Amino acid sequence: MIELYKHNVLFRRFMTVLAVVASALLQTFVIQAFIRPSNLLSSGFTGVAILLNSIASLYGKSFSVSLGMLALNIPVALLCSRSISPRFTLFSMLQVALASLFLKVLHFQPMFDDIMLNVIFGGFLYGLSIAIALRGNASTGGTDFIALYVSNKTGRSIWEYVFAGNVVILCIFGSMFGWIHAGYSILFQFVSTKAISAFHHRYERVTLQVTTQNADAVIAAYIKEYRHGISKVEAVGGYSRKKMHLLHTVVSSYEVSDIVALMRREDPHVIVNMLKTENFFGGFYQSPIE
């Protein structure tokens, strides 16, 4: 049993490293093939650091962008380490370091001359790079830390608020240095945010309606592995007239496939109906990010 646990842990760590490397590589490709050729403006902490440097230059001063990024990232990284997971923070910083390294050693050629194609395809792939890191229990640093910290506290995704914050930064850029590239950059961020929302469902909840003739065994296995509540109601099959039970539970969408596999192991004839849960009131256990 201990060996199996160690094997599962090692496998999860391997998948996290794989997701971090893939995310950093894809992010590097997007920056070099889509963002830079279109002169799109940066958002997030990078955008804030560049904005501060641009404002300082108007008064004949300079502001170190690299030091600014470091100063902005360190406090939220420490907060994330304490409130979410030190391991998650470590893998996130590894993603940032790898992306920085790849930008120096790898060189990708632009794919399109059309700026709209760069915005649409680049925005989608950039959002996908963030979603890959998140799916592997890591992140791309910066405002991802804030988004996940708040999401873990509230139990809901806040990527639309991150997008709103990025729009504010880009609007300041636009008012100071011109609206053309700021406008394209806002569209890029919109596509990117939609891509993240399409692939990252950690904070979405679903209701499982389970019909089984082996309710006690299913419930026992379920509550041993998961910390969600589950209710049992007696029922009678309309066609077979056999006694059965209807089980109800609310879970994270990330857990559905594993839960269904567990229930089918206890009762191969179990029927599981999944319903999207728009709102949920009451206690809900959100499993921590490893």
Side-chain angles (χ1 to χ4, degrees), residues 207-214 218 237-238 240 244-248 259-260 263-264 266-274:
T207 298
L208 298 183
Q209 292 182 338
V210 183
T211 305
T212 176
Q213 291 181 277
N214 196 12
V218 170
S240 66
M244 56 186 62
H245 289 91
L246 187 63
L247 311 180
H248 285 82
I259 290 174
V260 171
M263 291 181 172
R264 288 177 64 86
E266 297 300 323
D267 180 4
H269 302 291
V270 70
I271 299 172
V272 181
N273 181 31
M274 184 177 73

PDB file of all heavy atoms in Angstrom, residues 207-214 218 237-238 240 244-248 259-260 263-264 266-274:
ATOM      1  N   THR A 207     -23.275  18.226  -9.775  1.00  0.00           N
ATOM      2  CA  THR A 207     -24.064  17.320  -8.944  1.00  0.00           C
ATOM      3  C   THR A 207     -24.101  15.950  -9.602  1.00  0.00           C
ATOM      4  O   THR A 207     -24.391  15.844 -10.797  1.00  0.00           O
ATOM      5  CB  THR A 207     -25.496  17.849  -8.762  1.00  0.00           C
ATOM      6  OG1 THR A 207     -25.453  19.115  -8.099  1.00  0.00           O
ATOM      7  CG2 THR A 207     -26.332  16.879  -7.935  1.00  0.00           C
ATOM      8  N   LEU A 208     -23.805  14.920  -8.827  1.00  0.00           N
ATOM      9  CA  LEU A 208     -23.877  13.549  -9.329  1.00  0.00           C
ATOM     10  C   LEU A 208     -25.114  12.877  -8.753  1.00  0.00           C
ATOM     11  O   LEU A 208     -25.307  12.837  -7.534  1.00  0.00           O
ATOM     12  CB  LEU A 208     -22.628  12.758  -8.930  1.00  0.00           C
ATOM     13  CG  LEU A 208     -21.279  13.252  -9.472  1.00  0.00           C
ATOM     14  CD1 LEU A 208     -20.168  12.305  -9.040  1.00  0.00           C
ATOM     15  CD2 LEU A 208     -21.310  13.393 -10.986  1.00  0.00           C
ATOM     16  N   GLN A 209     -25.971  12.375  -9.629  1.00  0.00           N
ATOM     17  CA  GLN A 209     -27.121  11.567  -9.233  1.00  0.00           C
ATOM     18  C   GLN A 209     -26.790  10.113  -9.562  1.00  0.00           C
ATOM     19  O   GLN A 209     -26.622   9.760 -10.732  1.00  0.00           O
ATOM     20  CB  GLN A 209     -28.377  12.009  -9.975  1.00  0.00           C
ATOM     21  CG  GLN A 209     -28.878  13.381  -9.585  1.00  0.00           C
ATOM     22  CD  GLN A 209     -30.154  13.750 -10.312  1.00  0.00           C
ATOM     23  OE1 GLN A 209     -30.458  13.191 -11.375  1.00  0.00           O
ATOM     24  NE2 GLN A 209     -30.912  14.685  -9.764  1.00  0.00           N
ATOM     25  N   VAL A 210     -26.697   9.293  -8.537  1.00  0.00           N
ATOM     26  CA  VAL A 210     -26.209   7.923  -8.697  1.00  0.00           C
ATOM     27  C   VAL A 210     -27.319   6.942  -8.361  1.00  0.00           C
ATOM     28  O   VAL A 210     -27.904   7.009  -7.277  1.00  0.00           O
ATOM     29  CB  VAL A 210     -24.994   7.670  -7.780  1.00  0.00           C
ATOM     30  CG1 VAL A 210     -24.440   6.269  -8.004  1.00  0.00           C
ATOM     31  CG2 VAL A 210     -23.926   8.731  -8.000  1.00  0.00           C
ATOM     32  N   THR A 211     -27.621   6.047  -9.287  1.00  0.00           N
ATOM     33  CA  THR A 211     -28.601   4.990  -9.057  1.00  0.00           C
ATOM     34  C   THR A 211     -27.867   3.665  -8.924  1.00  0.00           C
ATOM     35  O   THR A 211     -27.113   3.274  -9.823  1.00  0.00           O
ATOM     36  CB  THR A 211     -29.610   4.905 -10.221  1.00  0.00           C
ATOM     37  OG1 THR A 211     -30.219   6.186 -10.406  1.00  0.00           O
ATOM     38  CG2 THR A 211     -30.676   3.876  -9.929  1.00  0.00           C
ATOM     39  N   THR A 212     -28.065   2.988  -7.793  1.00  0.00           N
ATOM     40  CA  THR A 212     -27.325   1.752  -7.536  1.00  0.00           C
ATOM     41  C   THR A 212     -28.138   0.807  -6.662  1.00  0.00           C
ATOM     42  O   THR A 212     -28.971   1.232  -5.858  1.00  0.00           O
ATOM     43  CB  THR A 212     -25.974   2.058  -6.853  1.00  0.00           C
ATOM     44  OG1 THR A 212     -25.302   0.842  -6.535  1.00  0.00           O
ATOM     45  CG2 THR A 212     -26.178   2.855  -5.574  1.00  0.00           C
ATOM     46  N   GLN A 213     -27.856  -0.492  -6.804  1.00  0.00           N
ATOM     47  CA  GLN A 213     -28.440  -1.515  -5.935  1.00  0.00           C
ATOM     48  C   GLN A 213     -27.451  -1.938  -4.838  1.00  0.00           C
ATOM     49  O   GLN A 213     -27.769  -2.791  -4.027  1.00  0.00           O
ATOM     50  CB  GLN A 213     -28.849  -2.739  -6.758  1.00  0.00           C
ATOM     51  CG  GLN A 213     -30.035  -2.493  -7.688  1.00  0.00           C
ATOM     52  CD  GLN A 213     -30.422  -3.736  -8.460  1.00  0.00           C
ATOM     53  OE1 GLN A 213     -29.828  -4.050  -9.490  1.00  0.00           O
ATOM     54  NE2 GLN A 213     -31.415  -4.455  -7.951  1.00  0.00           N
ATOM     55  N   ASN A 214     -26.276  -1.312  -4.857  1.00  0.00           N
ATOM     56  CA  ASN A 214     -25.243  -1.657  -3.879  1.00  0.00           C
ATOM     57  C   ASN A 214     -24.786  -0.369  -3.182  1.00  0.00           C
ATOM     58  O   ASN A 214     -23.598  -0.055  -3.149  1.00  0.00           O
ATOM     59  CB  ASN A 214     -24.078  -2.353  -4.580  1.00  0.00           C
ATOM     60  CG  ASN A 214     -23.161  -3.078  -3.614  1.00  0.00           C
ATOM     61  OD1 ASN A 214     -23.496  -3.254  -2.437  1.00  0.00           O
ATOM     62  ND2 ASN A 214     -21.992  -3.481  -4.097  1.00  0.00           N
ATOM     63  N   VAL A 218     -20.920   1.392  -2.235  1.00  0.00           N
ATOM     64  CA  VAL A 218     -20.540   2.592  -2.992  1.00  0.00           C
ATOM     65  C   VAL A 218     -20.254   3.752  -2.044  1.00  0.00           C
ATOM     66  O   VAL A 218     -19.252   4.464  -2.182  1.00  0.00           O
ATOM     67  CB  VAL A 218     -21.651   2.973  -3.998  1.00  0.00           C
ATOM     68  CG1 VAL A 218     -21.372   4.346  -4.612  1.00  0.00           C
ATOM     69  CG2 VAL A 218     -21.762   1.920  -5.090  1.00  0.00           C
ATOM     70  N   GLY A 237     -37.092   0.587  -9.004  1.00  0.00           N
ATOM     71  CA  GLY A 237     -36.949   0.642 -10.450  1.00  0.00           C
ATOM     72  C   GLY A 237     -38.301   0.576 -11.142  1.00  0.00           C
ATOM     73  O   GLY A 237     -39.101  -0.328 -10.855  1.00  0.00           O
ATOM     74  N   GLY A 238     -38.585   1.522 -12.035  1.00  0.00           N
ATOM     75  CA  GLY A 238     -39.875   1.569 -12.700  1.00  0.00           C
ATOM     76  C   GLY A 238     -40.112   0.368 -13.595  1.00  0.00           C
ATOM     77  O   GLY A 238     -41.254  -0.101 -13.733  1.00  0.00           O
ATOM     78  N   SER A 240     -37.903  -2.719 -13.603  1.00  0.00           N
ATOM     79  CA  SER A 240     -37.560  -3.978 -12.931  1.00  0.00           C
ATOM     80  C   SER A 240     -38.341  -4.188 -11.640  1.00  0.00           C
ATOM     81  O   SER A 240     -38.462  -5.326 -11.174  1.00  0.00           O
ATOM     82  CB  SER A 240     -36.059  -4.001 -12.601  1.00  0.00           C
ATOM     83  OG  SER A 240     -35.746  -2.999 -11.636  1.00  0.00           O
ATOM     84  N   MET A 244     -33.798  -0.198  -5.052  1.00  0.00           N
ATOM     85  CA  MET A 244     -32.486   0.408  -5.300  1.00  0.00           C
ATOM     86  C   MET A 244     -32.407   1.705  -4.508  1.00  0.00           C
ATOM     87  O   MET A 244     -33.340   2.092  -3.806  1.00  0.00           O
ATOM     88  CB  MET A 244     -32.271   0.636  -6.795  1.00  0.00           C
ATOM     89  CG  MET A 244     -33.318   1.471  -7.482  1.00  0.00           C
ATOM     90  SD  MET A 244     -33.063   1.549  -9.265  1.00  0.00           S
ATOM     91  CE  MET A 244     -33.223  -0.171  -9.724  1.00  0.00           C
ATOM     92  N   HIS A 245     -31.277   2.418  -4.644  1.00  0.00           N
ATOM     93  CA  HIS A 245     -31.097   3.680  -3.935  1.00  0.00           C
ATOM     94  C   HIS A 245     -30.617   4.757  -4.907  1.00  0.00           C
ATOM     95  O   HIS A 245     -29.896   4.472  -5.878  1.00  0.00           O
ATOM     96  CB  HIS A 245     -30.083   3.533  -2.795  1.00  0.00           C
ATOM     97  CG  HIS A 245     -30.608   2.731  -1.648  1.00  0.00           C
ATOM     98  ND1 HIS A 245     -30.432   1.365  -1.558  1.00  0.00           N
ATOM     99  CD2 HIS A 245     -31.316   3.097  -0.545  1.00  0.00           C
ATOM    100  CE1 HIS A 245     -31.003   0.922  -0.450  1.00  0.00           C
ATOM    101  NE2 HIS A 245     -31.533   1.946   0.191  1.00  0.00           N
ATOM    102  N   LEU A 246     -31.028   5.989  -4.619  1.00  0.00           N
ATOM    103  CA  LEU A 246     -30.595   7.152  -5.381  1.00  0.00           C
ATOM    104  C   LEU A 246     -29.678   7.976  -4.481  1.00  0.00           C
ATOM    105  O   LEU A 246     -30.081   8.412  -3.401  1.00  0.00           O
ATOM    106  CB  LEU A 246     -31.803   7.985  -5.826  1.00  0.00           C
ATOM    107  CG  LEU A 246     -31.528   9.161  -6.774  1.00  0.00           C
ATOM    108  CD1 LEU A 246     -30.970   8.651  -8.097  1.00  0.00           C
ATOM    109  CD2 LEU A 246     -32.809   9.955  -7.013  1.00  0.00           C
ATOM    110  N   LEU A 247     -28.441   8.170  -4.917  1.00  0.00           N
ATOM    111  CA  LEU A 247     -27.444   8.913  -4.142  1.00  0.00           C
ATOM    112  C   LEU A 247     -27.228  10.292  -4.772  1.00  0.00           C
ATOM    113  O   LEU A 247     -27.227  10.434  -5.994  1.00  0.00           O
ATOM    114  CB  LEU A 247     -26.113   8.158  -4.102  1.00  0.00           C
ATOM    115  CG  LEU A 247     -26.171   6.668  -3.735  1.00  0.00           C
ATOM    116  CD1 LEU A 247     -24.771   6.078  -3.748  1.00  0.00           C
ATOM    117  CD2 LEU A 247     -26.833   6.468  -2.385  1.00  0.00           C
ATOM    118  N   HIS A 248     -27.029  11.311  -3.924  1.00  0.00           N
ATOM    119  CA  HIS A 248     -26.757  12.670  -4.392  1.00  0.00           C
ATOM    120  C   HIS A 248     -25.468  13.173  -3.740  1.00  0.00           C
ATOM    121  O   HIS A 248     -25.289  13.023  -2.528  1.00  0.00           O
ATOM    122  CB  HIS A 248     -27.902  13.627  -4.014  1.00  0.00           C
ATOM    123  CG  HIS A 248     -29.130  13.457  -4.844  1.00  0.00           C
ATOM    124  ND1 HIS A 248     -30.061  12.491  -4.598  1.00  0.00           N
ATOM    125  CD2 HIS A 248     -29.575  14.149  -5.932  1.00  0.00           C
ATOM    126  CE1 HIS A 248     -31.046  12.579  -5.486  1.00  0.00           C
ATOM    127  NE2 HIS A 248     -30.766  13.580  -6.303  1.00  0.00           N
ATOM    128  N   ILE A 259     -14.172   9.653  -9.458  1.00  0.00           N
ATOM    129  CA  ILE A 259     -15.297   9.224  -8.625  1.00  0.00           C
ATOM    130  C   ILE A 259     -16.148   8.194  -9.367  1.00  0.00           C
ATOM    131  O   ILE A 259     -16.561   7.183  -8.790  1.00  0.00           O
ATOM    132  CB  ILE A 259     -16.143  10.437  -8.197  1.00  0.00           C
ATOM    133  CG1 ILE A 259     -15.365  11.287  -7.188  1.00  0.00           C
ATOM    134  CG2 ILE A 259     -17.470   9.982  -7.585  1.00  0.00           C
ATOM    135  CD1 ILE A 259     -16.057  12.586  -6.825  1.00  0.00           C
ATOM    136  N   VAL A 260     -16.420   8.429 -10.636  1.00  0.00           N
ATOM    137  CA  VAL A 260     -17.212   7.484 -11.427  1.00  0.00           C
ATOM    138  C   VAL A 260     -16.496   6.137 -11.515  1.00  0.00           C
ATOM    139  O   VAL A 260     -17.119   5.072 -11.381  1.00  0.00           O
ATOM    140  CB  VAL A 260     -17.502   8.052 -12.831  1.00  0.00           C
ATOM    141  CG1 VAL A 260     -18.129   6.976 -13.725  1.00  0.00           C
ATOM    142  CG2 VAL A 260     -18.414   9.267 -12.743  1.00  0.00           C
ATOM    143  N   MET A 263     -16.930   4.336  -8.210  1.00  0.00           N
ATOM    144  CA  MET A 263     -18.274   3.789  -8.034  1.00  0.00           C
ATOM    145  C   MET A 263     -18.526   2.593  -8.935  1.00  0.00           C
ATOM    146  O   MET A 263     -19.164   1.616  -8.526  1.00  0.00           O
ATOM    147  CB  MET A 263     -19.310   4.884  -8.295  1.00  0.00           C
ATOM    148  CG  MET A 263     -19.325   5.966  -7.234  1.00  0.00           C
ATOM    149  SD  MET A 263     -20.577   7.237  -7.560  1.00  0.00           S
ATOM    150  CE  MET A 263     -20.493   8.191  -6.032  1.00  0.00           C
ATOM    151  N   ARG A 264     -18.012   2.640 -10.144  1.00  0.00           N
ATOM    152  CA  ARG A 264     -18.194   1.508 -11.064  1.00  0.00           C
ATOM    153  C   ARG A 264     -17.405   0.282 -10.593  1.00  0.00           C
ATOM    154  O   ARG A 264     -17.773  -0.849 -10.910  1.00  0.00           O
ATOM    155  CB  ARG A 264     -17.767   1.906 -12.476  1.00  0.00           C
ATOM    156  CG  ARG A 264     -18.742   2.872 -13.138  1.00  0.00           C
ATOM    157  CD  ARG A 264     -18.240   3.294 -14.521  1.00  0.00           C
ATOM    158  NE  ARG A 264     -18.170   2.168 -15.426  1.00  0.00           N
ATOM    159  CZ  ARG A 264     -19.176   1.716 -16.159  1.00  0.00           C
ATOM    160  NH1 ARG A 264     -20.366   2.323 -16.079  1.00  0.00           N
ATOM    161  NH2 ARG A 264     -19.029   0.708 -16.967  1.00  0.00           N
ATOM    162  N   GLU A 266     -17.160  -0.552  -7.443  1.00  0.00           N
ATOM    163  CA  GLU A 266     -17.981  -1.159  -6.400  1.00  0.00           C
ATOM    164  C   GLU A 266     -19.275  -1.749  -6.951  1.00  0.00           C
ATOM    165  O   GLU A 266     -19.786  -2.731  -6.435  1.00  0.00           O
ATOM    166  CB  GLU A 266     -18.304  -0.106  -5.327  1.00  0.00           C
ATOM    167  CG  GLU A 266     -17.088   0.438  -4.596  1.00  0.00           C
ATOM    168  CD  GLU A 266     -16.319  -0.638  -3.861  1.00  0.00           C
ATOM    169  OE1 GLU A 266     -16.962  -1.566  -3.310  1.00  0.00           O
ATOM    170  OE2 GLU A 266     -15.068  -0.562  -3.836  1.00  0.00           O
ATOM    171  N   ASP A 267     -19.816  -1.109  -7.997  1.00  0.00           N
ATOM    172  CA  ASP A 267     -21.061  -1.592  -8.613  1.00  0.00           C
ATOM    173  C   ASP A 267     -20.963  -1.387 -10.122  1.00  0.00           C
ATOM    174  O   ASP A 267     -21.173  -0.277 -10.624  1.00  0.00           O
ATOM    175  CB  ASP A 267     -22.263  -0.832  -8.050  1.00  0.00           C
ATOM    176  CG  ASP A 267     -23.583  -1.309  -8.674  1.00  0.00           C
ATOM    177  OD1 ASP A 267     -23.557  -2.266  -9.484  1.00  0.00           O
ATOM    178  OD2 ASP A 267     -24.631  -0.716  -8.361  1.00  0.00           O
ATOM    179  N   PRO A 268     -20.602  -2.426 -10.878  1.00  0.00           N
ATOM    180  CA  PRO A 268     -20.435  -2.292 -12.343  1.00  0.00           C
ATOM    181  C   PRO A 268     -21.702  -1.823 -13.056  1.00  0.00           C
ATOM    182  O   PRO A 268     -21.624  -1.332 -14.188  1.00  0.00           O
ATOM    183  CB  PRO A 268     -20.063  -3.716 -12.778  1.00  0.00           C
ATOM    184  CG  PRO A 268     -19.517  -4.360 -11.543  1.00  0.00           C
ATOM    185  CD  PRO A 268     -20.295  -3.781 -10.410  1.00  0.00           C
ATOM    186  N   HIS A 269     -22.860  -1.964 -12.426  1.00  0.00           N
ATOM    187  CA  HIS A 269     -24.120  -1.584 -13.060  1.00  0.00           C
ATOM    188  C   HIS A 269     -24.636  -0.223 -12.579  1.00  0.00           C
ATOM    189  O   HIS A 269     -25.779   0.143 -12.861  1.00  0.00           O
ATOM    190  CB  HIS A 269     -25.188  -2.654 -12.787  1.00  0.00           C
ATOM    191  CG  HIS A 269     -24.800  -4.024 -13.256  1.00  0.00           C
ATOM    192  ND1 HIS A 269     -24.697  -4.358 -14.589  1.00  0.00           N
ATOM    193  CD2 HIS A 269     -24.451  -5.148 -12.549  1.00  0.00           C
ATOM    194  CE1 HIS A 269     -24.327  -5.624 -14.701  1.00  0.00           C
ATOM    195  NE2 HIS A 269     -24.176  -6.122 -13.482  1.00  0.00           N
ATOM    196  N   VAL A 270     -23.808   0.520 -11.867  1.00  0.00           N
ATOM    197  CA  VAL A 270     -24.218   1.826 -11.356  1.00  0.00           C
ATOM    198  C   VAL A 270     -24.538   2.776 -12.509  1.00  0.00           C
ATOM    199  O   VAL A 270     -23.926   2.710 -13.580  1.00  0.00           O
ATOM    200  CB  VAL A 270     -23.117   2.417 -10.444  1.00  0.00           C
ATOM    201  CG1 VAL A 270     -21.895   2.829 -11.261  1.00  0.00           C
ATOM    202  CG2 VAL A 270     -23.641   3.606  -9.658  1.00  0.00           C
ATOM    203  N   ILE A 271     -25.525   3.648 -12.296  1.00  0.00           N
ATOM    204  CA  ILE A 271     -25.889   4.676 -13.284  1.00  0.00           C
ATOM    205  C   ILE A 271     -25.584   6.035 -12.665  1.00  0.00           C
ATOM    206  O   ILE A 271     -26.051   6.354 -11.565  1.00  0.00           O
ATOM    207  CB  ILE A 271     -27.374   4.595 -13.659  1.00  0.00           C
ATOM    208  CG1 ILE A 271     -27.688   3.235 -14.287  1.00  0.00           C
ATOM    209  CG2 ILE A 271     -27.762   5.721 -14.605  1.00  0.00           C
ATOM    210  CD1 ILE A 271     -29.173   2.997 -14.523  1.00  0.00           C
ATOM    211  N   VAL A 272     -24.772   6.848 -13.352  1.00  0.00           N
ATOM    212  CA  VAL A 272     -24.371   8.163 -12.833  1.00  0.00           C
ATOM    213  C   VAL A 272     -24.817   9.242 -13.810  1.00  0.00           C
ATOM    214  O   VAL A 272     -24.464   9.209 -14.997  1.00  0.00           O
ATOM    215  CB  VAL A 272     -22.844   8.243 -12.625  1.00  0.00           C
ATOM    216  CG1 VAL A 272     -22.470   9.621 -12.059  1.00  0.00           C
ATOM    217  CG2 VAL A 272     -22.361   7.136 -11.695  1.00  0.00           C
ATOM    218  N   ASN A 273     -25.615  10.171 -13.299  1.00  0.00           N
ATOM    219  CA  ASN A 273     -26.068  11.312 -14.091  1.00  0.00           C
ATOM    220  C   ASN A 273     -25.389  12.564 -13.536  1.00  0.00           C
ATOM    221  O   ASN A 273     -25.479  12.854 -12.344  1.00  0.00           O
ATOM    222  CB  ASN A 273     -27.593  11.449 -14.005  1.00  0.00           C
ATOM    223  CG  ASN A 273     -28.107  12.606 -14.841  1.00  0.00           C
ATOM    224  OD1 ASN A 273     -27.525  12.942 -15.870  1.00  0.00           O
ATOM    225  ND2 ASN A 273     -29.185  13.228 -14.406  1.00  0.00           N
ATOM    226  N   MET A 274     -24.715  13.324 -14.400  1.00  0.00           N
ATOM    227  CA  MET A 274     -23.985  14.505 -13.968  1.00  0.00           C
ATOM    228  C   MET A 274     -24.734  15.770 -14.387  1.00  0.00           C
ATOM    229  O   MET A 274     -25.108  15.928 -15.544  1.00  0.00           O
ATOM    230  CB  MET A 274     -22.570  14.519 -14.569  1.00  0.00           C
ATOM    231  CG  MET A 274     -21.701  15.670 -14.085  1.00  0.00           C
ATOM    232  SD  MET A 274     -20.020  15.603 -14.756  1.00  0.00           S
ATOM    233  CE  MET A 274     -20.340  16.105 -16.464  1.00  0.00           C
TER     234      MET A 274
END
